[in-house]
Amino acid sequence: MALIIKNTLTQSFETFKPINPPFVGLYSCGPTVYNIPHIGNYRAYLFIDLLKRYLIYKGYEVKHVMNITDIDDKTIKASIEQGISLSKLTERYTKDFYNDLNILNIIPASLYTKATDYIKEMLELIEILIEKGYAYKTEDKSIYFDISKDPEYGKLSHFKLADLKQDASGRMQNDEYDKENANDFALWKAYNEEDGAVFWEPSEILGKKSIISKGRPGWHIECSTMSQKNLGESFDIHTGGVDNIFPHHENEIAQSECATGKPFAKYFIHNDHLLVDNKKMSKSLGNFYTLLDLVEKGIDPIAFRLWLYNSNYTNKANFTLESVRGTQIALEKLRDLYLNFGQEKGQINGEYKKSFIEALDNNFDTSKAMALIWQLVKDPEIQPADKKATLLNFDQVLGLGLDKIVKEIIPENIIRIAEDREQSRRNKEWQKSDQIREKLKDLGYEIKDEESGYKISKI
């Protein structure tokens, strides 16, 4: 069985064939560490984790590199607004990012690369582009990439530059813009007072005289440098959200391939947007959620992870609190079933495993994979120990952390109090029932009423 993926570069579904099997080089666009990521950002990181887990599950040796953008327009602006150094700002949010990855049970990357650690390599790449005639210096001493010199520019976004702009000699200083404003983009931004103390002296860093003046890198050159330095000039997979397709990934391809004369990434895989109540996430609309927001609303972050499996990564996903709370109930049920299967771990069921692989081989059909799991846990023909073994095998990919679930032992006195409350409910002694609930809460336990009875858990 072969993995079929959607390659943005060719706009087609393709059989995954790595360049040097079983090795897979995987590069992911990581966070720009100027603020706390929202749950839309984490859709991308959770898909990357699913992809990586599945490649490992299928026997590939994955080297995963993820960048940390700690120098760009946004980080500089935020550090100045907050009155702190750039490094202090980015270190704080990088730490928060790593903590969130742990909460979501995301496997760490093989290597996290900070842009500020690769300034020398960026300068070397820019000098190559200048020497080859693809880049030029402007009057303000910035260095720009000349998109008119690249005949393949636009091949990821699938547009022809001539159709959008007859005169492509304009320049775009901002890191982010849309393709209707396609222009030459900044590889290196000359120093200006708005950058404060954030700048580098190229001649000092390179140890020789350079045409590049004092300043800082543009956003796009950062990822080209970090990916090629750690995965080679050509590697297998580049991932990111659809918002990265243009200009970021388009510009990465242009500058990388013009510098090396070789293909950049073989496969580009992009996840679609996360909507909230069918709207784009926005602080002004009050629908902007971080992981902490979910936790404060009583939502387990792993329930958010499971909720995402309802939609294919190539489709928009519409987040609502009601829907994710429904998924949380399903997650709790799955955890209970898993614990009730007992301590013994039996044999992985071959037929279910085959169907599981078929689902994920089909461009990561996670909704079908989850339907298969519910079928498995209810299957009367499968022994509990075998169900447990099969679930654990599948969870190597899904990352729900079932192997970390431990059956909670409720003290006998707490059970007796809960039974007294249950009897009060049967007798319709509602006031007494509520009093007992509060007593349990004071003792550190929460009781939830369910169709089959009640459930006690430690607060």
Side-chain angles (χ1 to χ4, degrees), residues 353-407:
K353 182 175 180 178
K354 180 182 177 183
S355 297
F356 181 75
I357 291 172
E358 286 175 351
L360 292 175
D361 272 348
N362 183 25
N363 195 38
F364 301 97
D365 190 344
T366 48
S367 61
K368 187 173 182 179
M370 287 310 305
L372 193 70
I373 282 179
W374 291 114
Q375 181 182 336
L376 166 68
V377 297
K378 296 175 182 178
D379 193 332
E381 302 298 320
I382 310 295
Q383 294 299 311
D386 295 342
K387 289 181 180 180
K388 182 169 187 173
T390 308
L391 277 177
L392 285 172
N393 180 264
F394 293 175
D395 202 38
Q396 291 176 31
V397 179
L398 300 173
L400 302 177
L402 294 179
D403 60 327
K404 301 174 185 176
I405 303 300
V406 178
K407 192 160 188 174

Side-chain angles (χ1 to χ4, degrees), residues 332-343 384-385 388 407:
E332 290 171 356
K333 182 178 180 180
L334 182 61
R335 287 169 170 169
D336 287 342
L337 287 167
Y338 172 80
L339 291 173
N340 290 335
F341 291 149
Q343 296 296 317
K388 182 169 187 173
K407 192 160 188 174

Side-chain angles (χ1 to χ4, degrees), residues 3 26 42-58 62 64 104-107 305 308-309 311-313 356 359-360 363-367 369-370 394-400:
L3 172 60
L26 169 63
Y42 282 111
R43 185 183 193 191
Y45 306 135
L46 283 165
F47 170 67
I48 294 162
D49 192 54
L50 176 75
L51 166 65
K52 179 169 63 177
R53 283 172 176 271
Y54 192 56
L55 291 173
I56 295 170
Y57 184 83
K58 288 180 73 72
V62 181
H64 177 208
L104 287 165
N105 198 31
I106 292 176
I107 299 173
R305 179 177 186 130
L308 283 171
Y309 293 155
S311 304
N312 188 267
Y313 74 97
F356 181 75
L360 292 175
N363 195 38
F364 301 97
D365 190 344
T366 48
S367 61
M370 287 310 305
F394 293 175
D395 202 38
Q396 291 176 31
V397 179
L398 300 173
L400 302 177

Side-chain angles (χ1 to χ4, degrees), residues 92-122:
R92 177 208 302 168
Y93 289 117
T94 300
K95 183 178 179 181
D96 290 342
F97 174 67
Y98 290 152
N99 184 57
D100 283 352
L101 294 185
N102 184 56
I103 290 170
L104 287 165
N105 198 31
I106 292 176
I107 299 173
S110 310
L111 180 66
Y112 291 104
T113 56
K114 291 168 54 180
T116 51
D117 290 337
Y118 289 79
I119 300 298
K120 182 175 185 289
E121 290 82 358
M122 293 177 204

Side-chain angles (χ1 to χ4, degrees), residues 151-410:
E152 293 192 316
Y153 190 84
K155 68 179 180 179
L156 181 69
S157 307
H158 303 286
F159 71 84
K160 292 182 179 179
L161 188 61
D163 293 340
L164 295 178
K165 188 174 181 67
Q166 295 297 320
D167 179 9
S169 62
R171 303 186 186 102
M172 180 57 67
Q173 188 176 32
N174 295 334
D175 287 334
E176 298 180 71
Y177 51 95
D178 57 42
K179 63 185 178 183
E180 284 70 25
N181 294 311
N183 278 297
D184 294 353
F185 58 90
L187 298 170
W188 187 263
K189 300 184 179 185
Y191 176 75
N192 65 66
E193 292 182 358
E194 292 179 359
D195 289 346
V198 181
F199 63 87
W200 285 265
E201 293 280 5
S203 295
E204 292 180 8
I205 293 171
L206 294 171
K208 64 175 185 178
K209 188 175 181 180
S210 175
I211 188 176
I212 307 172
S213 302
K214 170 184 172 180
R216 63 180 174 89
W219 177 34
H220 314 298
I221 199 69
E222 297 176 5
C223 284
S224 285
T225 302
M226 290 183 280
S227 60
Q228 292 192 24
K229 179 69 176 178
N230 294 290
L231 295 174
E233 293 176 334
S234 299
F235 56 92
D236 297 294
I237 304 174
H238 197 314
T239 70
V242 291
D243 51 319
N244 287 143
I245 295 174
F246 190 91
H248 189 46
H249 292 171
E250 190 73 69
N251 291 350
E252 278 186 70
I253 293 172
Q255 62 201 10
S256 300
E257 295 188 352
C258 287
T260 67
K262 300 175 183 178
F264 184 42
K266 186 175 181 181
Y267 304 95
F268 274 85
I269 307 178
H270 294 94
N271 62 278
D272 209 328
H273 291 295
L274 178 75
L275 303 178
V276 177
D277 298 319
N278 281 315
K279 298 175 183 176
K280 184 177 179 181
M281 197 180 310
S282 166
K283 287 183 178 179
S284 62
L285 292 175
N287 64 356
F288 183 94
Y289 295 113
T290 65
L291 282 187
L292 180 59
D293 291 331
L294 297 190
V295 171
E296 289 177 347
K297 293 180 183 296
I299 296 171
D300 186 333
I302 298 299
F304 173 64
R305 179 177 186 130
L306 178 59
W307 176 84
L308 283 171
Y309 293 155
N310 294 324
S311 304
N312 188 267
Y313 74 97
T314 58
N315 299 326
K316 289 180 174 61
N318 181 42
F319 177 91
T320 67
L321 289 172
E322 182 181 6
S323 64
V324 79
R325 284 185 175 124
T327 301
Q328 177 149 317
I329 292 171
L331 175 63
E332 290 171 356
K333 182 178 180 180
L334 182 61
R335 287 169 170 169
D336 287 342
L337 287 167
Y338 172 80
L339 291 173
N340 290 335
F341 291 149
Q343 296 296 317
E344 184 181 348
K345 188 168 74 171
Q347 299 295 314
I348 298 167
N349 185 277
E351 287 302 312
Y352 275 97
K353 182 175 180 178
K354 180 182 177 183
S355 297
F356 181 75
I357 291 172
E358 286 175 351
L360 292 175
D361 272 348
N362 183 25
N363 195 38
F364 301 97
D365 190 344
T366 48
S367 61
K368 187 173 182 179
M370 287 310 305
L372 193 70
I373 282 179
W374 291 114
Q375 181 182 336
L376 166 68
V377 297
K378 296 175 182 178
D379 193 332
E381 302 298 320
I382 310 295
Q383 294 299 311
D386 295 342
K387 289 181 180 180
K388 182 169 187 173
T390 308
L391 277 177
L392 285 172
N393 180 264
F394 293 175
D395 202 38
Q396 291 176 31
V397 179
L398 300 173
L400 302 177
L402 294 179
D403 60 327
K404 301 174 185 176
I405 303 300
V406 178
K407 192 160 188 174
E408 192 173 8
I409 299 175
I410 307 298

